[in-house]
Amino acid sequence: MTNWQELLLQNDYDQIISYSKQGIELYPNVGEGYYYLGLAFLLQSKDEEADNIWTLGLKNSSDADLYTKELYEILRREADRQEELKEYQVSLTIRQNIRRIMPQNFENLVQIVYLYLQLQIFNIQTLQELDLINLIQSGIDINDNALLQLIENISFTPISQATSEEVMSFYLGFISSCIPYVQNKEVGTSKLIYAAFSQKLRLDISLKFVDMCLQLCPDSIMVLGFLVQLYIKHDRYNEALEVARNIIVKFPESLDQTIAYHLLLSAIMSAGGNWQEIKVIFAKYQSLLSDLVQQNPVDMNRFYVTYICMSCFFAPYIQDMPQDNRAIQNKVMSLVQSNMQHYQSEITQRFQNNQRLRKESPRSLKSSKLRIGYLATSLRQHSVGWLARSLFQHFDRDSFEIYGYFPEYSQCKDFLQEWYVRQMHKSFREGVDYWGDNFLVAEQIDRDRIDLLVDLESMTSGNCCDILALKPAPLQVSWLGWDASGLPAIDYYIADPYVLPENAQEYYSEKIWRLPKTYIAVDGFETSIATLRRSDLDIPADAIVYFSSQKSYKRHPDIVRAQLQIIRKVPNSYFIIKGLADETSMQNFFYEIADSEGVERDYLKFLPFAKFEAEHRANMAIADIVLDTYPYNGATTTMETLWMGIPMVTQVGEQFVARNSYTMMMNAGITEGIAWNVQEYVEWGVKFGMDPQLRQTVAWKLRQSRKTSSLWDGRQFAKEMENAYRQMWEIHNG
């Protein structure tokens, strides 16, 4: 048997056939020769010969059940091996033969479904032909893990690709028919939630997933939390708030309350405007987090851990107090990591052992390429996707191998996401290379022997936090996606001379690595034809137009008050407000402050986000001045403003997100518009509005900066990032 297994690995089918025939001649009643002879025929596409030899072996066997069981195990192992090699058609052929031998083997039928999906030949007819529902309902013993895999596979791919209501209805009906037979209801619920939320499904379809989840777990905070997020995702803020408030009442336990207030804060900040209640909820939430850190549980359910890892997301929008914010954040993320490593202790230990062995015999930088992995959900049409392009465009392919890991990979066509995949030496994508379990990503990072893993999400993605907490790479670095997470498994946080104050290392758990000039650079932005004119908004041609395009989270009342003071002080000025939020809530919020500041409501104009980024940039030409937000600045929006040559006013704070615009303006060679307090912010806003010469001077400087500024030199920036990677790796290896 050992020789045959080795010959299989070498694809030496002729030798297998020779050995097998000799074995059958010597031992005609022993099944082994028949098993491997038939398999060798099958792997040479001789299906009929394979079937004949297995039938002969069964006829000569003294124990038909044992013969069938042993043949199944050999075929199953080879099918799994071929699947690992991504030889999906070969694996499918083997499994179809298993089906002829054992037609009611449920696990095999589930793997056939998986292979149909991988080969893109899955449809209603193939599913019906397998007759899985009748088999499930027949009362035979069903492996729960196989049933969960089947539900996951159908949920994750065919639903999002359904071409008609009839097809969609069939798949939903199929999944619903499986639900009563699921034994591990919590795992089943999490798989349904994960599949539904990671796809861009219609709200009514997603709500059907919620109904199925409630069949499994009628009183589940996990399901209700998903429902809140679902409503927010579809801009149904009132429904999100109602469900979140009900969760607070329904789940009085301390840990549940922490999750409940997280959901309520998320819903109310997404809707925008109600800052008095936001501050009350935030204070309660901070208190709950402090209690949780004090308790220091190390065996939290993974669902809770995923929420907790994003618990400090809201603080920088509410207050510019990095010492206080990061003190609690570092403790929370340490708690997250200890729970994840407890939950996956075996994987964590394996990673540590592998890294220790590799460090004992490190590869030479001179003799091999450094392997850089990027972990991201946002390398697509997203702020991170737009800003990271130049780094990937210019990286040194002679010195580095670039690997991409894409949990939450979008199944919808996204040209930028596809572009990133093409830049990779190798990519690992959810829904393409694997389904569901994100620990598979961590294991793939380990198998790929990644030297340095770059985290592009920080704590904005629970899935990425789960992976990073296990430390699958010896060096882990956060860059670009957000402020540093505070996760102990992260070694470095990439910044520059401006975006963090000099004393920032005092309250960061990560080692701050400052690039020489800027922590971000791009070669430019695409624009299209403008679709918005002043006349469309009833704005006079000679008016002064101020502009702000941000999400509701960033509309802090203090900065909005300052913005409206500028409008009041500059005659014939208008304010265009653009961004995601509940339309009524946001307008009422601005109108209330406008009334208190003596600004007529007609001077405020509200716009939704543009459908395409290039259109948004082109339409920015309508503005004379852009007013930034505080305590959370723009980032991509600031880069776009500077590229379009529009003067900007920003207030600089202490935290990373209150200094983004500052570092970008400094690197573009602009100091005009940089304010260090709210009074200076108003003064700069008024000065720009009243002085057309000043606006023209700044616009000219910005146009000139395209030729000279480090902010627009993607090639040089890529070199500086690569130098940082090399130095980090050298330090790691002593």
Side-chain angles (χ1 to χ4, degrees):
M1 178 178 174
T2 302
N3 289 337
W4 286 331
Q5 290 287 3
E6 291 175 358
L7 292 169
L8 276 173
L9 294 175
Q10 298 166 14
N11 298 327
D12 194 347
Y13 305 132
D14 291 338
Q15 192 73 322
I16 292 173
I17 291 170
S18 176
Y19 281 166
S20 299
K21 287 181 176 179
Q22 292 175 38
I24 290 171
E25 286 180 14
L26 292 171
Y27 307 103
N29 296 324
V30 176
E32 211 163 67
Y34 299 99
Y35 306 152
Y36 284 98
L37 178 57
L39 180 55
F41 283 145
L42 188 66
L43 293 171
Q44 290 183 321
S45 302
K46 299 175 181 178
D47 296 31
E48 187 175 347
E49 290 93 328
D51 189 52
N52 289 338
I53 200 67
W54 288 329
T55 301
L56 178 62
L58 181 61
K59 182 178 177 181
N60 292 336
S61 173
S62 59
D63 188 336
D65 288 342
L66 179 62
Y67 177 91
T68 303
K69 183 179 178 181
E70 289 179 345
L71 175 58
Y72 163 72
E73 281 299 322
I74 288 170
L75 295 180
R76 181 193 61 77
R77 281 199 301 269
E78 183 60 18
D80 288 344
R81 188 179 77 87
Q82 294 292 342
E83 186 181 306
E84 288 179 7
L85 296 172
K86 299 190 184 303
E87 295 289 347
Y88 298 123
Q89 185 59 60
V90 176
S91 182
L92 179 59
T93 299
I94 297 170
R95 289 200 171 275
Q96 285 170 334
N97 277 271
I98 292 175
R99 187 184 174 205
R100 284 198 288 272
I101 298 165
M102 304 177 71
Q104 291 194 315
N105 187 300
F106 185 73
E107 290 89 338
N108 184 60
L109 297 176
V110 171
Q111 286 304 117
I112 288 175
V113 170
Y114 173 78
L115 293 167
Y116 281 161
L117 291 167
Q118 291 286 18
L119 292 166
Q120 299 183 351
I121 56 175
F122 182 89
N123 54 45
I124 288 178
Q125 289 71 35
T126 57
L127 188 57
Q128 288 174 326
E129 189 265 335
L130 293 171
D131 202 25
L132 285 158
I133 292 299
N134 283 334
L135 186 60
I136 292 169
Q137 295 173 344
S138 69
I140 69 166
D141 188 25
I142 296 293
N143 182 299
D144 198 48
N145 288 334
L147 181 59
L148 290 169
Q149 182 189 334
L150 177 65
I151 291 172
E152 181 177 65
N153 289 349
I154 303 297
S155 300
F156 204 88
T157 302
I159 291 289
S160 64
Q161 297 174 353
T163 55
S164 69
E165 291 296 319
E166 182 182 358
V167 172
M168 179 79 76
S169 178
F170 175 84
Y171 289 136
L172 288 169
F174 180 91
I175 298 167
S176 184
S177 297
C178 296
I179 294 300
Y181 301 92
V182 172
Q183 300 299 311
N184 193 329
K185 299 185 184 301
E186 187 173 311
V187 173
T189 299
S190 65
K191 286 184 180 296
L192 285 171
I193 287 174
Y194 191 65
F197 198 71
S198 60
Q199 300 177 85
K200 295 182 179 179
L201 300 175
R202 297 193 324 245
L203 178 60
D204 61 322
I205 302 301
S206 296
L207 290 175
K208 290 179 181 177
F209 275 91
V210 172
D211 289 339
M212 287 188 277
C213 290
L214 291 172
Q215 289 179 45
L216 289 170
C217 297
D219 294 310
S220 168
I221 190 173
M222 177 167 62
V223 178
L224 295 175
F226 166 61
L227 185 57
V228 172
Q229 293 177 302
L230 188 62
Y231 280 133
I232 293 172
K233 183 179 180 181
H234 289 273
D235 304 328
R236 300 277 286 270
Y237 302 110
N238 289 335
E239 289 97 327
L241 285 165
E242 182 181 356
V243 176
R245 294 187 201 281
N246 287 337
I247 293 174
I248 289 175
V249 175
K250 193 170 184 177
F251 297 91
E253 295 295 325
S254 175
L255 187 54
D256 290 336
Q257 286 283 291
T258 306
I259 304 304
Y261 272 89
H262 176 99
L263 292 165
L264 180 58
L265 197 54
S266 180
I268 197 168
M269 290 192 71
S270 296
N274 195 348
W275 279 88
Q276 286 185 327
E277 187 175 4
I278 286 171
K279 290 178 180 178
V280 172
I281 295 168
F282 178 69
K284 173 65 175 176
Y285 186 44
Q286 290 289 86
S287 175
L288 288 165
L289 286 175
S290 296
D291 291 344
L292 180 64
V293 168
Q294 195 82 22
Q295 295 163 13
N296 194 33
V298 293
D299 57 353
M300 285 190 292
N301 181 289
R302 186 183 170 191
F303 161 76
Y304 292 102
V305 177
T306 300
Y307 268 101
I308 296 301
C309 80
M310 295 185 285
S311 60
C312 299
F313 174 80
F314 304 105
Y317 293 94
I318 296 170
Q319 57 186 22
D320 180 22
M321 299 172 62
Q323 291 91 338
D324 293 345
N325 290 347
R326 296 206 64 83
I328 183 68
Q329 182 174 330
N330 291 341
K331 292 175 183 176
V332 166
M333 297 307 286
S334 180
L335 178 64
V336 166
Q337 179 164 311
S338 62
N339 273 268
M340 286 308 303
Q341 293 193 353
H342 174 79
Y343 181 73
Q344 288 288 352
S345 57
E346 184 180 333
I347 292 178
T348 303
Q349 188 61 51
R350 182 168 9 112
F351 292 167
Q352 291 173 355
N353 292 340
N354 290 344
Q355 290 165 25
R356 185 176 63 253
L357 290 172
R358 291 168 195 164
K359 191 169 184 179
E360 289 172 359
S361 54
R363 304 195 319 273
S364 167
L365 283 177
K366 295 180 180 179
S367 61
S368 63
K369 297 180 181 180
L370 199 61
R371 294 185 178 186
I372 309 296
Y374 287 88
L375 177 65
T377 68
S378 50
L379 289 178
R380 51 184 171 82
Q381 293 182 71
H382 177 280
S383 291
V384 169
W386 293 117
L387 294 180
R389 286 183 297 173
S390 295
L391 175 61
F392 285 81
Q393 178 72 34
H394 297 300
F395 78 84
D396 179 0
R397 288 168 170 80
D398 293 329
S399 302
F400 297 88
E401 283 183 358
I402 304 299
Y403 293 70
Y405 302 94
F406 296 84
E408 304 176 29
Y409 186 77
S410 174
Q411 298 299 305
C412 302
K413 287 291 183 183
D414 185 308
F415 80 91
L416 191 52
Q417 179 179 248
E418 293 171 359
W419 179 84
Y420 274 110
V421 170
R422 292 195 299 272
Q423 308 312 305
M424 306 296 181
H425 172 76
K426 180 180 177 182
S427 62
F428 193 62
R429 297 161 289 170
E430 183 177 49
V432 179
D433 302 298
Y434 75 101
W435 272 274
D437 187 358
N438 279 309
F439 295 123
L440 294 173
V441 182
E443 293 187 296
Q444 186 65 44
I445 292 167
D446 177 65
R447 279 195 298 272
D448 289 337
R449 299 172 64 92
I450 294 302
D451 298 314
L452 190 150
L453 181 64
V454 183
D455 158 38
L456 289 173
E457 302 300 326
S458 185
M459 58 185 202
T460 63
S461 165
N463 294 323
C464 290
C465 272
D466 290 352
I467 295 163
L468 292 159
L470 303 180
K471 190 91 176 187
L475 271 178
Q476 298 191 156
V477 180
S478 287
W479 172 62
L480 184 60
W482 208 67
D483 198 352
S485 68
L487 200 67
I490 303 296
D491 300 284
Y492 292 102
Y493 179 55
I494 294 177
D496 64 29
Y498 305 106
V499 79
L500 290 177
E502 291 182 4
N503 68 331
Q505 190 63 72
E506 296 172 9
Y507 45 86
Y508 275 81
S509 62
E510 303 88 344
K511 177 70 174 175
I512 297 171
W513 190 286
R514 295 185 191 260
L515 296 178
K517 295 178 181 177
T518 174
Y519 84 95
I520 181 61
V522 299
D523 291 320
F525 293 99
E526 301 88 345
T527 60
S528 63
I529 298 172
T531 59
L532 184 68
R533 301 179 63 84
R534 294 189 175 195
S535 57
D536 298 329
L537 301 174
D538 293 325
I539 296 177
D542 62 346
I544 303 300
V545 175
Y546 293 88
F547 179 83
S548 177
S549 175
Q550 298 294 348
K551 293 181 179 180
S552 59
Y553 286 11
K554 298 185 181 181
R555 305 289 188 186
H556 194 284
D558 293 347
I559 202 67
V560 170
R561 189 172 300 281
Q563 291 168 343
L564 292 174
Q565 288 173 6
I566 295 169
I567 303 303
R568 189 190 71 226
K569 292 180 178 183
V570 177
N572 194 29
S573 65
Y574 288 75
F575 191 19
I576 297 177
I577 301 140
K578 184 177 181 180
L580 292 175
D582 178 77
E583 184 176 345
T584 301
S585 175
M586 185 53 64
Q587 289 189 10
N588 289 339
F589 166 67
F590 270 90
Y591 286 153
E592 183 179 335
I593 298 177
D595 292 344
S596 69
E597 291 297 327
V599 176
E600 293 185 27
R601 296 184 177 189
D602 289 346
Y603 290 99
L604 307 185
K605 305 294 181 179
F606 297 90
L607 293 176
F609 271 140
K611 188 173 182 180
F612 302 106
E613 287 82 359
E615 178 186 327
H616 157 73
R617 296 171 197 133
N619 286 340
M620 289 179 71
I622 199 173
D624 296 298
I625 306 110
V626 168
L627 298 179
D628 197 11
T629 46
Y630 175 89
Y632 201 119
N633 294 166
T636 309
T637 51
T638 297
M639 295 283 279
E640 290 169 332
T641 298
L642 300 178
W643 179 256
M644 296 303 294
I646 303 172
M648 182 174 185
V649 181
T650 189
Q651 181 176 339
V652 187
E654 290 296 307
Q655 61 189 0
F656 169 82
V657 293
R659 300 171 70 90
N660 254 316
S661 297
Y662 168 56
T663 188
M664 292 167 185
M665 291 173 72
M666 291 295 288
N667 276 289
I670 300 295
T671 57
E672 297 90 339
I674 295 175
W676 294 92
N677 54 54
V678 71
Q679 181 181 346
E680 289 184 11
Y681 183 95
V682 174
E683 289 173 356
W684 272 116
V686 173
K687 190 180 296 185
F688 272 126
M690 302 293 284
D691 189 343
Q693 184 61 47
L694 176 62
R695 296 198 300 273
Q696 291 172 14
T697 299
V698 171
W700 180 84
K701 283 185 177 181
L702 288 172
R703 288 194 296 272
Q704 293 301 112
S705 77
R706 290 189 181 189
K707 306 172 186 176
T708 59
S709 169
S710 56
L711 198 64
W712 313 124
D713 190 347
R715 189 180 301 277
Q716 180 60 33
F717 174 73
K719 290 180 181 178
E720 290 170 1
M721 284 285 281
E722 289 166 356
N723 286 336
Y725 292 160
R726 288 189 186 95
Q727 291 171 39
M728 290 173 188
W729 185 243
E730 289 169 357
I731 292 169
H732 172 74
N733 287 303

